[in-house]
Amino acid sequence: MEGYLPLAILVIGSIVFFVHRSNRDRQVLQVVAGALFAQADLLAARGDQRKSEDLREQWHALIRAQASLGAKPRFALEDIEQRALQRLASPFDLEKLMMGYGSHLEAYDSLSRLAGKTEKIRHAR
């Protein structure tokens, strides 16, 4: 019985870690989506339609990627949506976007995991 206690602690700790990370990713991605939407509106109000449309495209790709992971059966993103999601994970652009909204490092980690999951779905199809 004594030999199983460390194993049980390790298993429970791993489960708690991954559940916490999943919940944290969900929260961070909601903040990123809000930041994208707000920044797109701000740019549209300033008259910069091209950048505003680019941010709206990234926002749409982020929403579709989250929906893809929650759907049963999961669906693959289109090429343009996958590229927009990968552009969103650019560290420089993400740092500018997340200024005032939260940590760009957490956002980068969450977006990288999301892009990796959607890429796996895409290659499985």
Side-chain angles (χ1 to χ4, degrees):
M1 183 67 178
E2 290 177 15
Y4 293 115
L5 184 60
L7 180 62
I9 291 171
L10 180 66
V11 169
I12 291 172
S14 297
I15 291 170
V16 168
F17 170 76
F18 285 112
V19 168
H20 173 72
R21 188 174 78 176
S22 174
N23 289 338
R24 185 69 185 146
D25 281 352
R26 194 174 299 119
Q27 290 172 345
V28 168
L29 292 174
Q30 286 176 347
V31 170
V32 171
L36 279 170
F37 198 78
Q39 193 69 21
D41 280 350
L42 182 65
L43 288 172
R46 289 182 181 166
D48 195 351
Q49 293 299 323
R50 187 183 62 78
K51 286 184 181 178
S52 175
E53 287 301 317
D54 187 45
L55 289 179
R56 288 188 194 281
E57 183 180 295
Q58 291 175 354
W59 173 79
H60 181 72
L62 176 60
I63 299 299
R64 289 261 306 159
Q66 288 177 310
S68 167
L69 293 181
K72 299 290 182 202
R74 293 180 172 176
F75 58 89
L77 295 179
E78 297 174 14
D79 289 340
I80 195 164
E81 292 171 332
Q82 188 69 30
R83 281 193 302 270
L85 189 62
Q86 289 169 345
R87 272 195 333 264
L88 179 57
S90 164
F92 179 72
D93 294 337
L94 198 56
E95 185 175 358
K96 284 189 343 187
L97 175 71
M98 293 303 292
M99 209 174 288
Y101 292 101
S103 170
H104 67 280
L105 298 175
E106 285 182 343
Y108 178 77
D109 288 343
S110 296
L111 284 166
S112 296
R113 275 192 289 277
L114 180 65
K117 289 176 185 177
T118 57
E119 195 67 31
K120 281 183 186 176
I121 292 169
R122 201 158 182 228
H123 289 294
R125 301 275 175 207

mmCIF file of all heavy atoms in Angstrom, residues 50-99:
data_model
loop_
_atom_site.group_PDB
_atom_site.id
_atom_site.type_symbol
_atom_site.label_atom_id
_atom_site.label_comp_id
_atom_site.label_asym_id
_atom_site.label_seq_id
_atom_site.Cartn_x
_atom_site.Cartn_y
_atom_site.Cartn_z
ATOM 1 N N ARG A 50 -8.188 48.245 -43.343
ATOM 2 C CA ARG A 50 -7.404 47.056 -43.685
ATOM 3 C C ARG A 50 -6.935 46.321 -42.430
ATOM 4 O O ARG A 50 -7.119 45.109 -42.312
ATOM 5 C CB ARG A 50 -6.204 47.446 -44.548
ATOM 6 C CG ARG A 50 -5.424 46.245 -45.088
ATOM 7 C CD ARG A 50 -4.206 46.661 -45.883
ATOM 8 N NE ARG A 50 -3.223 47.399 -45.111
ATOM 9 C CZ ARG A 50 -2.355 46.852 -44.251
ATOM 10 N NH1 ARG A 50 -2.366 45.560 -44.054
ATOM 11 N NH2 ARG A 50 -1.482 47.596 -43.599
ATOM 12 N N LYS A 51 -6.368 47.049 -41.482
ATOM 13 C CA LYS A 51 -5.914 46.417 -40.243
ATOM 14 C C LYS A 51 -7.096 45.923 -39.411
ATOM 15 O O LYS A 51 -7.018 44.892 -38.760
ATOM 16 C CB LYS A 51 -5.068 47.388 -39.421
ATOM 17 C CG LYS A 51 -3.691 47.616 -39.990
ATOM 18 C CD LYS A 51 -2.869 48.503 -39.090
ATOM 19 C CE LYS A 51 -1.495 48.751 -39.685
ATOM 20 N NZ LYS A 51 -0.708 49.666 -38.839
ATOM 21 N N SER A 52 -8.187 46.675 -39.454
ATOM 22 C CA SER A 52 -9.386 46.270 -38.724
ATOM 23 C C SER A 52 -9.928 44.952 -39.264
ATOM 24 O O SER A 52 -10.277 44.052 -38.489
ATOM 25 C CB SER A 52 -10.456 47.361 -38.822
ATOM 26 O OG SER A 52 -11.649 46.940 -38.230
ATOM 27 N N GLU A 53 -9.984 44.809 -40.581
ATOM 28 C CA GLU A 53 -10.459 43.564 -41.190
ATOM 29 C C GLU A 53 -9.523 42.400 -40.886
ATOM 30 O O GLU A 53 -9.975 41.275 -40.669
ATOM 31 C CB GLU A 53 -10.627 43.731 -42.708
ATOM 32 C CG GLU A 53 -11.821 44.560 -43.088
ATOM 33 C CD GLU A 53 -13.130 43.975 -42.580
ATOM 34 O OE1 GLU A 53 -13.326 42.744 -42.666
ATOM 35 O OE2 GLU A 53 -13.953 44.759 -42.073
ATOM 36 N N ASP A 54 -8.226 42.672 -40.841
ATOM 37 C CA ASP A 54 -7.254 41.629 -40.505
ATOM 38 C C ASP A 54 -7.478 41.132 -39.073
ATOM 39 O O ASP A 54 -7.464 39.930 -38.818
ATOM 40 C CB ASP A 54 -5.833 42.168 -40.665
ATOM 41 C CG ASP A 54 -4.795 41.081 -40.506
ATOM 42 O OD1 ASP A 54 -4.981 39.988 -41.087
ATOM 43 O OD2 ASP A 54 -3.789 41.329 -39.809
ATOM 44 N N LEU A 55 -7.708 42.047 -38.142
ATOM 45 C CA LEU A 55 -7.974 41.649 -36.753
ATOM 46 C C LEU A 55 -9.304 40.909 -36.626
ATOM 47 O O LEU A 55 -9.413 39.952 -35.864
ATOM 48 C CB LEU A 55 -7.951 42.859 -35.824
ATOM 49 C CG LEU A 55 -6.581 43.481 -35.573
ATOM 50 C CD1 LEU A 55 -6.717 44.694 -34.660
ATOM 51 C CD2 LEU A 55 -5.630 42.473 -34.971
ATOM 52 N N ARG A 56 -10.298 41.336 -37.379
ATOM 53 C CA ARG A 56 -11.589 40.632 -37.358
ATOM 54 C C ARG A 56 -11.448 39.209 -37.925
ATOM 55 O O ARG A 56 -12.076 38.278 -37.440
ATOM 56 C CB ARG A 56 -12.647 41.406 -38.120
ATOM 57 C CG ARG A 56 -13.097 42.643 -37.398
ATOM 58 C CD ARG A 56 -14.279 43.295 -38.080
ATOM 59 N NE ARG A 56 -14.504 44.624 -37.585
ATOM 60 C CZ ARG A 56 -15.114 44.917 -36.447
ATOM 61 N NH1 ARG A 56 -15.556 43.947 -35.680
ATOM 62 N NH2 ARG A 56 -15.274 46.166 -36.065
ATOM 63 N N GLU A 57 -10.604 39.056 -38.927
ATOM 64 C CA GLU A 57 -10.338 37.735 -39.492
ATOM 65 C C GLU A 57 -9.652 36.843 -38.449
ATOM 66 O O GLU A 57 -10.003 35.667 -38.303
ATOM 67 C CB GLU A 57 -9.444 37.891 -40.728
ATOM 68 C CG GLU A 57 -9.146 36.618 -41.454
ATOM 69 C CD GLU A 57 -8.259 36.892 -42.653
ATOM 70 O OE1 GLU A 57 -8.716 37.580 -43.583
ATOM 71 O OE2 GLU A 57 -7.109 36.413 -42.639
ATOM 72 N N GLN A 58 -8.710 37.402 -37.714
ATOM 73 C CA GLN A 58 -8.045 36.650 -36.658
ATOM 74 C C GLN A 58 -9.016 36.310 -35.531
ATOM 75 O O GLN A 58 -8.976 35.216 -34.979
ATOM 76 C CB GLN A 58 -6.846 37.435 -36.115
ATOM 77 C CG GLN A 58 -5.723 37.548 -37.100
ATOM 78 C CD GLN A 58 -4.594 38.427 -36.588
ATOM 79 O OE1 GLN A 58 -4.694 39.043 -35.549
ATOM 80 N NE2 GLN A 58 -3.510 38.472 -37.354
ATOM 81 N N TRP A 59 -9.898 37.251 -35.190
ATOM 82 C CA TRP A 59 -10.906 37.013 -34.156
ATOM 83 C C TRP A 59 -11.826 35.860 -34.587
ATOM 84 O O TRP A 59 -12.117 34.957 -33.801
ATOM 85 C CB TRP A 59 -11.724 38.281 -33.920
ATOM 86 C CG TRP A 59 -12.881 38.103 -32.998
ATOM 87 C CD1 TRP A 59 -12.841 38.050 -31.635
ATOM 88 C CD2 TRP A 59 -14.248 37.938 -33.360
ATOM 89 N NE1 TRP A 59 -14.099 37.870 -31.136
ATOM 90 C CE2 TRP A 59 -14.988 37.799 -32.172
ATOM 91 C CE3 TRP A 59 -14.926 37.903 -34.576
ATOM 92 C CZ2 TRP A 59 -16.361 37.616 -32.163
ATOM 93 C CZ3 TRP A 59 -16.293 37.733 -34.557
ATOM 94 C CH2 TRP A 59 -16.994 37.591 -33.372
ATOM 95 N N HIS A 60 -12.249 35.891 -35.842
ATOM 96 C CA HIS A 60 -13.126 34.841 -36.363
ATOM 97 C C HIS A 60 -12.418 33.484 -36.328
ATOM 98 O O HIS A 60 -13.016 32.464 -35.956
ATOM 99 C CB HIS A 60 -13.567 35.182 -37.788
ATOM 100 C CG HIS A 60 -14.481 34.171 -38.390
ATOM 101 N ND1 HIS A 60 -15.792 34.016 -37.996
ATOM 102 C CD2 HIS A 60 -14.262 33.245 -39.350
ATOM 103 C CE1 HIS A 60 -16.335 33.034 -38.684
ATOM 104 N NE2 HIS A 60 -15.436 32.548 -39.521
ATOM 105 N N ALA A 61 -11.136 33.451 -36.702
ATOM 106 C CA ALA A 61 -10.367 32.199 -36.683
ATOM 107 C C ALA A 61 -10.233 31.674 -35.257
ATOM 108 O O ALA A 61 -10.338 30.465 -35.024
ATOM 109 C CB ALA A 61 -8.997 32.422 -37.299
ATOM 110 N N LEU A 62 -10.030 32.564 -34.298
ATOM 111 C CA LEU A 62 -9.918 32.155 -32.895
ATOM 112 C C LEU A 62 -11.228 31.552 -32.397
ATOM 113 O O LEU A 62 -11.234 30.491 -31.765
ATOM 114 C CB LEU A 62 -9.520 33.352 -32.025
ATOM 115 C CG LEU A 62 -9.441 33.121 -30.521
ATOM 116 C CD1 LEU A 62 -8.419 32.049 -30.192
ATOM 117 C CD2 LEU A 62 -9.099 34.426 -29.820
ATOM 118 N N ILE A 63 -12.336 32.178 -32.719
ATOM 119 C CA ILE A 63 -13.655 31.677 -32.308
ATOM 120 C C ILE A 63 -13.935 30.319 -32.959
ATOM 121 O O ILE A 63 -14.406 29.389 -32.306
ATOM 122 C CB ILE A 63 -14.769 32.695 -32.654
ATOM 123 C CG1 ILE A 63 -14.535 34.019 -31.912
ATOM 124 C CG2 ILE A 63 -16.142 32.136 -32.353
ATOM 125 C CD1 ILE A 63 -14.539 33.910 -30.405
ATOM 126 N N ARG A 64 -13.620 30.195 -34.258
ATOM 127 C CA ARG A 64 -13.843 28.920 -34.951
ATOM 128 C C ARG A 64 -12.955 27.810 -34.400
ATOM 129 O O ARG A 64 -13.372 26.670 -34.298
ATOM 130 C CB ARG A 64 -13.579 29.079 -36.453
ATOM 131 C CG ARG A 64 -14.595 29.878 -37.186
ATOM 132 C CD ARG A 64 -15.601 29.086 -37.905
ATOM 133 N NE ARG A 64 -14.974 28.126 -38.810
ATOM 134 C CZ ARG A 64 -15.596 27.058 -39.249
ATOM 135 N NH1 ARG A 64 -16.833 26.824 -38.898
ATOM 136 N NH2 ARG A 64 -15.003 26.217 -40.064
ATOM 137 N N ALA A 65 -11.714 28.152 -34.036
ATOM 138 C CA ALA A 65 -10.800 27.151 -33.472
ATOM 139 C C ALA A 65 -11.315 26.654 -32.131
ATOM 140 O O ALA A 65 -11.276 25.451 -31.848
ATOM 141 C CB ALA A 65 -9.396 27.735 -33.327
ATOM 142 N N GLN A 66 -11.820 27.556 -31.299
ATOM 143 C CA GLN A 66 -12.382 27.144 -30.015
ATOM 144 C C GLN A 66 -13.626 26.291 -30.225
ATOM 145 O O GLN A 66 -13.827 25.297 -29.532
ATOM 146 C CB GLN A 66 -12.717 28.370 -29.161
ATOM 147 C CG GLN A 66 -11.495 29.067 -28.626
ATOM 148 C CD GLN A 66 -11.846 30.316 -27.856
ATOM 149 O OE1 GLN A 66 -12.602 31.153 -28.331
ATOM 150 N NE2 GLN A 66 -11.290 30.444 -26.673
ATOM 151 N N ALA A 67 -14.445 26.661 -31.200
ATOM 152 C CA ALA A 67 -15.641 25.876 -31.503
ATOM 153 C C ALA A 67 -15.264 24.497 -32.043
ATOM 154 O O ALA A 67 -15.928 23.505 -31.740
ATOM 155 C CB ALA A 67 -16.515 26.621 -32.513
ATOM 156 N N SER A 68 -14.203 24.453 -32.818
ATOM 157 C CA SER A 68 -13.739 23.184 -33.378
ATOM 158 C C SER A 68 -13.355 22.195 -32.285
ATOM 159 O O SER A 68 -13.670 21.012 -32.371
ATOM 160 C CB SER A 68 -12.530 23.431 -34.289
ATOM 161 O OG SER A 68 -11.881 22.235 -34.597
ATOM 162 N N LEU A 69 -12.688 22.689 -31.251
ATOM 163 C CA LEU A 69 -12.266 21.802 -30.168
ATOM 164 C C LEU A 69 -13.443 21.333 -29.324
ATOM 165 O O LEU A 69 -13.413 20.251 -28.750
ATOM 166 C CB LEU A 69 -11.237 22.499 -29.277
ATOM 167 C CG LEU A 69 -9.903 22.794 -29.939
ATOM 168 C CD1 LEU A 69 -8.966 23.463 -28.943
ATOM 169 C CD2 LEU A 69 -9.265 21.546 -30.494
ATOM 170 N N GLY A 70 -14.482 22.144 -29.253
ATOM 171 C CA GLY A 70 -15.643 21.779 -28.447
ATOM 172 C C GLY A 70 -16.679 20.956 -29.193
ATOM 173 O O GLY A 70 -17.586 20.401 -28.581
ATOM 174 N N ALA A 71 -16.545 20.874 -30.502
ATOM 175 C CA ALA A 71 -17.545 20.166 -31.316
ATOM 176 C C ALA A 71 -17.317 18.665 -31.280
ATOM 177 O O ALA A 71 -16.206 18.193 -31.142
ATOM 178 C CB ALA A 71 -17.482 20.670 -32.754
ATOM 179 N N LYS A 72 -18.404 17.948 -31.418
ATOM 180 C CA LYS A 72 -18.343 16.486 -31.537
ATOM 181 C C LYS A 72 -19.057 16.107 -32.819
ATOM 182 O O LYS A 72 -20.256 16.310 -32.918
ATOM 183 C CB LYS A 72 -19.031 15.805 -30.357
ATOM 184 C CG LYS A 72 -18.414 16.114 -29.034
ATOM 185 C CD LYS A 72 -17.060 15.472 -28.878
ATOM 186 C CE LYS A 72 -16.542 15.800 -27.487
ATOM 187 N NZ LYS A 72 -15.165 15.702 -27.339
ATOM 188 N N PRO A 73 -18.475 15.603 -33.823
ATOM 189 C CA PRO A 73 -17.046 15.381 -34.027
ATOM 190 C C PRO A 73 -16.333 16.697 -34.330
ATOM 191 O O PRO A 73 -16.948 17.644 -34.830
ATOM 192 C CB PRO A 73 -16.990 14.456 -35.228
ATOM 193 C CG PRO A 73 -18.200 14.792 -36.010
ATOM 194 C CD PRO A 73 -19.246 15.177 -34.982
ATOM 195 N N ARG A 74 -15.065 16.723 -34.047
ATOM 196 C CA ARG A 74 -14.279 17.925 -34.290
ATOM 197 C C ARG A 74 -14.143 18.164 -35.784
ATOM 198 O O ARG A 74 -14.112 17.232 -36.573
ATOM 199 C CB ARG A 74 -12.898 17.780 -33.653
ATOM 200 C CG ARG A 74 -12.975 17.751 -32.142
ATOM 201 C CD ARG A 74 -11.628 17.618 -31.533
ATOM 202 N NE ARG A 74 -11.744 17.791 -30.090
ATOM 203 C CZ ARG A 74 -10.751 17.658 -29.260
ATOM 204 N NH1 ARG A 74 -9.563 17.331 -29.707
ATOM 205 N NH2 ARG A 74 -10.939 17.837 -27.982
ATOM 206 N N PHE A 75 -14.075 19.428 -36.156
ATOM 207 C CA PHE A 75 -13.916 19.765 -37.570
ATOM 208 C C PHE A 75 -12.627 20.554 -37.763
ATOM 209 O O PHE A 75 -12.160 21.232 -36.861
ATOM 210 C CB PHE A 75 -15.126 20.556 -38.099
ATOM 211 C CG PHE A 75 -15.394 21.828 -37.348
ATOM 212 C CD1 PHE A 75 -14.797 23.017 -37.734
ATOM 213 C CD2 PHE A 75 -16.260 21.839 -36.262
ATOM 214 C CE1 PHE A 75 -15.049 24.186 -37.050
ATOM 215 C CE2 PHE A 75 -16.522 23.010 -35.578
ATOM 216 C CZ PHE A 75 -15.921 24.190 -35.967
ATOM 217 N N ALA A 76 -12.075 20.433 -38.941
ATOM 218 C CA ALA A 76 -10.813 21.109 -39.264
ATOM 219 C C ALA A 76 -11.089 22.536 -39.725
ATOM 220 O O ALA A 76 -12.119 22.816 -40.347
ATOM 221 C CB ALA A 76 -10.076 20.347 -40.350
ATOM 222 N N LEU A 77 -10.169 23.423 -39.415
ATOM 223 C CA LEU A 77 -10.271 24.800 -39.878
ATOM 224 C C LEU A 77 -9.869 24.878 -41.341
ATOM 225 O O LEU A 77 -9.076 24.070 -41.822
ATOM 226 C CB LEU A 77 -9.342 25.708 -39.067
ATOM 227 C CG LEU A 77 -9.649 25.884 -37.587
ATOM 228 C CD1 LEU A 77 -8.604 26.801 -36.952
ATOM 229 C CD2 LEU A 77 -11.024 26.441 -37.362
ATOM 230 N N GLU A 78 -10.387 25.868 -42.022
ATOM 231 C CA GLU A 78 -9.984 26.108 -43.402
ATOM 232 C C GLU A 78 -8.565 26.665 -43.409
ATOM 233 O O GLU A 78 -8.067 27.148 -42.387
ATOM 234 C CB GLU A 78 -10.941 27.087 -44.066
ATOM 235 C CG GLU A 78 -12.360 26.570 -44.163
ATOM 236 C CD GLU A 78 -13.320 27.614 -44.698
ATOM 237 O OE1 GLU A 78 -12.845 28.639 -45.236
ATOM 238 O OE2 GLU A 78 -14.518 27.407 -44.567
ATOM 239 N N ASP A 79 -7.913 26.628 -44.565
ATOM 240 C CA ASP A 79 -6.530 27.105 -44.677
ATOM 241 C C ASP A 79 -6.386 28.556 -44.225
ATOM 242 O O ASP A 79 -5.463 28.894 -43.490
ATOM 243 C CB ASP A 79 -6.033 26.986 -46.120
ATOM 244 C CG ASP A 79 -5.796 25.555 -46.533
ATOM 245 O OD1 ASP A 79 -5.652 24.706 -45.639
ATOM 246 O OD2 ASP A 79 -5.755 25.297 -47.749
ATOM 247 N N ILE A 80 -7.283 29.403 -44.665
ATOM 248 C CA ILE A 80 -7.184 30.830 -44.344
ATOM 249 C C ILE A 80 -7.368 31.064 -42.834
ATOM 250 O O ILE A 80 -6.707 31.912 -42.245
ATOM 251 C CB ILE A 80 -8.185 31.657 -45.182
ATOM 252 C CG1 ILE A 80 -7.818 33.122 -45.108
ATOM 253 C CG2 ILE A 80 -9.612 31.408 -44.760
ATOM 254 C CD1 ILE A 80 -8.488 33.951 -46.182
ATOM 255 N N GLU A 81 -8.244 30.279 -42.216
ATOM 256 C CA GLU A 81 -8.447 30.414 -40.770
ATOM 257 C C GLU A 81 -7.232 29.910 -40.002
ATOM 258 O O GLU A 81 -6.835 30.516 -39.002
ATOM 259 C CB GLU A 81 -9.692 29.646 -40.333
ATOM 260 C CG GLU A 81 -10.978 30.251 -40.841
ATOM 261 C CD GLU A 81 -12.178 29.361 -40.582
ATOM 262 O OE1 GLU A 81 -12.020 28.129 -40.520
ATOM 263 O OE2 GLU A 81 -13.269 29.926 -40.446
ATOM 264 N N GLN A 82 -6.628 28.836 -40.470
ATOM 265 C CA GLN A 82 -5.437 28.303 -39.803
ATOM 266 C C GLN A 82 -4.293 29.300 -39.899
ATOM 267 O O GLN A 82 -3.574 29.523 -38.935
ATOM 268 C CB GLN A 82 -5.046 26.958 -40.425
ATOM 269 C CG GLN A 82 -3.942 26.237 -39.687
ATOM 270 C CD GLN A 82 -4.377 25.718 -38.326
ATOM 271 O OE1 GLN A 82 -5.534 25.387 -38.115
ATOM 272 N NE2 GLN A 82 -3.446 25.659 -37.402
ATOM 273 N N ARG A 83 -4.119 29.929 -41.056
ATOM 274 C CA ARG A 83 -3.062 30.937 -41.215
ATOM 275 C C ARG A 83 -3.324 32.154 -40.334
ATOM 276 O O ARG A 83 -2.398 32.710 -39.749
ATOM 277 C CB ARG A 83 -2.929 31.342 -42.675
ATOM 278 C CG ARG A 83 -2.154 30.342 -43.499
ATOM 279 C CD ARG A 83 -1.759 30.914 -44.847
ATOM 280 N NE ARG A 83 -2.897 31.353 -45.638
ATOM 281 C CZ ARG A 83 -3.566 30.598 -46.489
ATOM 282 N NH1 ARG A 83 -3.209 29.336 -46.665
ATOM 283 N NH2 ARG A 83 -4.576 31.083 -47.177
ATOM 284 N N ALA A 84 -4.590 32.569 -40.234
ATOM 285 C CA ALA A 84 -4.927 33.712 -39.377
ATOM 286 C C ALA A 84 -4.636 33.393 -37.916
ATOM 287 O O ALA A 84 -4.136 34.239 -37.171
ATOM 288 C CB ALA A 84 -6.397 34.091 -39.556
ATOM 289 N N LEU A 85 -4.920 32.174 -37.502
ATOM 290 C CA LEU A 85 -4.635 31.758 -36.124
ATOM 291 C C LEU A 85 -3.125 31.738 -35.873
ATOM 292 O O LEU A 85 -2.663 32.169 -34.818
ATOM 293 C CB LEU A 85 -5.245 30.385 -35.865
ATOM 294 C CG LEU A 85 -5.235 29.892 -34.426
ATOM 295 C CD1 LEU A 85 -6.053 30.819 -33.541
ATOM 296 C CD2 LEU A 85 -5.807 28.481 -34.359
ATOM 297 N N GLN A 86 -2.357 31.288 -36.842
ATOM 298 C CA GLN A 86 -0.899 31.271 -36.691
ATOM 299 C C GLN A 86 -0.329 32.682 -36.686
ATOM 300 O O GLN A 86 0.617 32.969 -35.963
ATOM 301 C CB GLN A 86 -0.267 30.431 -37.794
ATOM 302 C CG GLN A 86 -0.536 28.955 -37.628
ATOM 303 C CD GLN A 86 -0.138 28.133 -38.839
ATOM 304 O OE1 GLN A 86 0.091 28.678 -39.910
ATOM 305 N NE2 GLN A 86 -0.088 26.832 -38.662
ATOM 306 N N ARG A 87 -0.906 33.597 -37.491
ATOM 307 C CA ARG A 87 -0.463 34.995 -37.474
ATOM 308 C C ARG A 87 -0.751 35.632 -36.124
ATOM 309 O O ARG A 87 0.014 36.456 -35.638
ATOM 310 C CB ARG A 87 -1.177 35.790 -38.565
ATOM 311 C CG ARG A 87 -0.513 35.772 -39.885
ATOM 312 C CD ARG A 87 -1.033 36.837 -40.833
ATOM 313 N NE ARG A 87 -2.380 37.298 -40.645
ATOM 314 C CZ ARG A 87 -3.454 36.846 -41.291
ATOM 315 N NH1 ARG A 87 -3.322 35.879 -42.170
ATOM 316 N NH2 ARG A 87 -4.642 37.356 -41.067
ATOM 317 N N LEU A 88 -1.855 35.244 -35.533
ATOM 318 C CA LEU A 88 -2.233 35.797 -34.230
ATOM 319 C C LEU A 88 -1.227 35.412 -33.156
ATOM 320 O O LEU A 88 -0.993 36.165 -32.225
ATOM 321 C CB LEU A 88 -3.633 35.308 -33.843
ATOM 322 C CG LEU A 88 -4.189 35.752 -32.499
ATOM 323 C CD1 LEU A 88 -4.221 37.267 -32.414
ATOM 324 C CD2 LEU A 88 -5.586 35.190 -32.306
ATOM 325 N N ALA A 89 -0.600 34.256 -33.290
ATOM 326 C CA ALA A 89 0.365 33.787 -32.293
ATOM 327 C C ALA A 89 1.749 34.409 -32.471
ATOM 328 O O ALA A 89 2.685 34.010 -31.790
ATOM 329 C CB ALA A 89 0.462 32.269 -32.341
ATOM 330 N N SER A 90 1.887 35.396 -33.328
ATOM 331 C CA SER A 90 3.154 36.102 -33.495
ATOM 332 C C SER A 90 3.473 36.879 -32.218
ATOM 333 O O SER A 90 2.666 37.698 -31.775
ATOM 334 C CB SER A 90 3.054 37.061 -34.678
ATOM 335 O OG SER A 90 4.095 38.001 -34.642
ATOM 336 N N PRO A 91 4.626 36.638 -31.600
ATOM 337 C CA PRO A 91 4.936 37.279 -30.317
ATOM 338 C C PRO A 91 4.916 38.805 -30.358
ATOM 339 O O PRO A 91 4.404 39.449 -29.441
ATOM 340 C CB PRO A 91 6.342 36.772 -29.979
ATOM 341 C CG PRO A 91 6.516 35.539 -30.766
ATOM 342 C CD PRO A 91 5.683 35.704 -32.000
ATOM 343 N N PHE A 92 5.437 39.406 -31.423
ATOM 344 C CA PHE A 92 5.486 40.868 -31.496
ATOM 345 C C PHE A 92 4.081 41.465 -31.580
ATOM 346 O O PHE A 92 3.743 42.398 -30.854
ATOM 347 C CB PHE A 92 6.325 41.312 -32.692
ATOM 348 C CG PHE A 92 6.388 42.804 -32.844
ATOM 349 C CD1 PHE A 92 7.126 43.572 -31.962
ATOM 350 C CD2 PHE A 92 5.699 43.428 -33.866
ATOM 351 C CE1 PHE A 92 7.169 44.948 -32.094
ATOM 352 C CE2 PHE A 92 5.743 44.801 -34.006
ATOM 353 C CZ PHE A 92 6.479 45.571 -33.120
ATOM 354 N N ASP A 93 3.266 40.923 -32.490
ATOM 355 C CA ASP A 93 1.902 41.431 -32.645
ATOM 356 C C ASP A 93 1.069 41.174 -31.396
ATOM 357 O O ASP A 93 0.248 42.002 -30.996
ATOM 358 C CB ASP A 93 1.227 40.784 -33.852
ATOM 359 C CG ASP A 93 1.883 41.192 -35.158
ATOM 360 O OD1 ASP A 93 2.532 42.261 -35.187
ATOM 361 O OD2 ASP A 93 1.765 40.439 -36.137
ATOM 362 N N LEU A 94 1.283 40.033 -30.790
ATOM 363 C CA LEU A 94 0.529 39.673 -29.591
ATOM 364 C C LEU A 94 0.873 40.595 -28.428
ATOM 365 O O LEU A 94 0.010 40.965 -27.644
ATOM 366 C CB LEU A 94 0.811 38.217 -29.236
ATOM 367 C CG LEU A 94 -0.167 37.535 -28.299
ATOM 368 C CD1 LEU A 94 -1.580 37.617 -28.834
ATOM 369 C CD2 LEU A 94 0.228 36.090 -28.123
ATOM 370 N N GLU A 95 2.143 40.982 -28.333
ATOM 371 C CA GLU A 95 2.548 41.895 -27.265
ATOM 372 C C GLU A 95 1.850 43.243 -27.417
ATOM 373 O O GLU A 95 1.368 43.818 -26.440
ATOM 374 C CB GLU A 95 4.066 42.077 -27.275
ATOM 375 C CG GLU A 95 4.584 42.908 -26.122
ATOM 376 C CD GLU A 95 6.100 42.979 -26.096
ATOM 377 O OE1 GLU A 95 6.759 42.351 -26.940
ATOM 378 O OE2 GLU A 95 6.613 43.671 -25.208
ATOM 379 N N LYS A 96 1.784 43.745 -28.660
ATOM 380 C CA LYS A 96 1.086 45.013 -28.898
ATOM 381 C C LYS A 96 -0.406 44.882 -28.611
ATOM 382 O O LYS A 96 -1.012 45.775 -28.025
ATOM 383 C CB LYS A 96 1.288 45.466 -30.343
ATOM 384 C CG LYS A 96 2.640 46.039 -30.603
ATOM 385 C CD LYS A 96 2.817 46.684 -31.961
ATOM 386 C CE LYS A 96 1.830 46.354 -33.011
ATOM 387 N NZ LYS A 96 2.129 46.877 -34.335
ATOM 388 N N LEU A 97 -0.993 43.768 -29.024
ATOM 389 C CA LEU A 97 -2.428 43.557 -28.842
ATOM 390 C C LEU A 97 -2.808 43.455 -27.371
ATOM 391 O O LEU A 97 -3.797 44.037 -26.943
ATOM 392 C CB LEU A 97 -2.869 42.285 -29.581
ATOM 393 C CG LEU A 97 -4.321 41.883 -29.378
ATOM 394 C CD1 LEU A 97 -5.246 42.860 -30.090
ATOM 395 C CD2 LEU A 97 -4.551 40.472 -29.865
ATOM 396 N N MET A 98 -2.018 42.732 -26.606
ATOM 397 C CA MET A 98 -2.379 42.440 -25.215
ATOM 398 C C MET A 98 -1.999 43.557 -24.242
ATOM 399 O O MET A 98 -2.273 43.451 -23.055
ATOM 400 C CB MET A 98 -1.738 41.126 -24.764
ATOM 401 C CG MET A 98 -2.279 39.918 -25.474
ATOM 402 S SD MET A 98 -4.057 39.718 -25.317
ATOM 403 C CE MET A 98 -4.185 39.327 -23.585
ATOM 404 N N MET A 99 -1.383 44.617 -24.720
ATOM 405 C CA MET A 99 -1.030 45.723 -23.860
ATOM 406 C C MET A 99 -2.302 46.273 -23.203
ATOM 407 O O MET A 99 -3.234 46.701 -23.876
ATOM 408 C CB MET A 99 -0.341 46.816 -24.672
ATOM 409 C CG MET A 99 0.646 47.639 -23.900
ATOM 410 S SD MET A 99 1.520 48.781 -24.979
ATOM 411 C CE MET A 99 2.572 47.671 -25.881
#
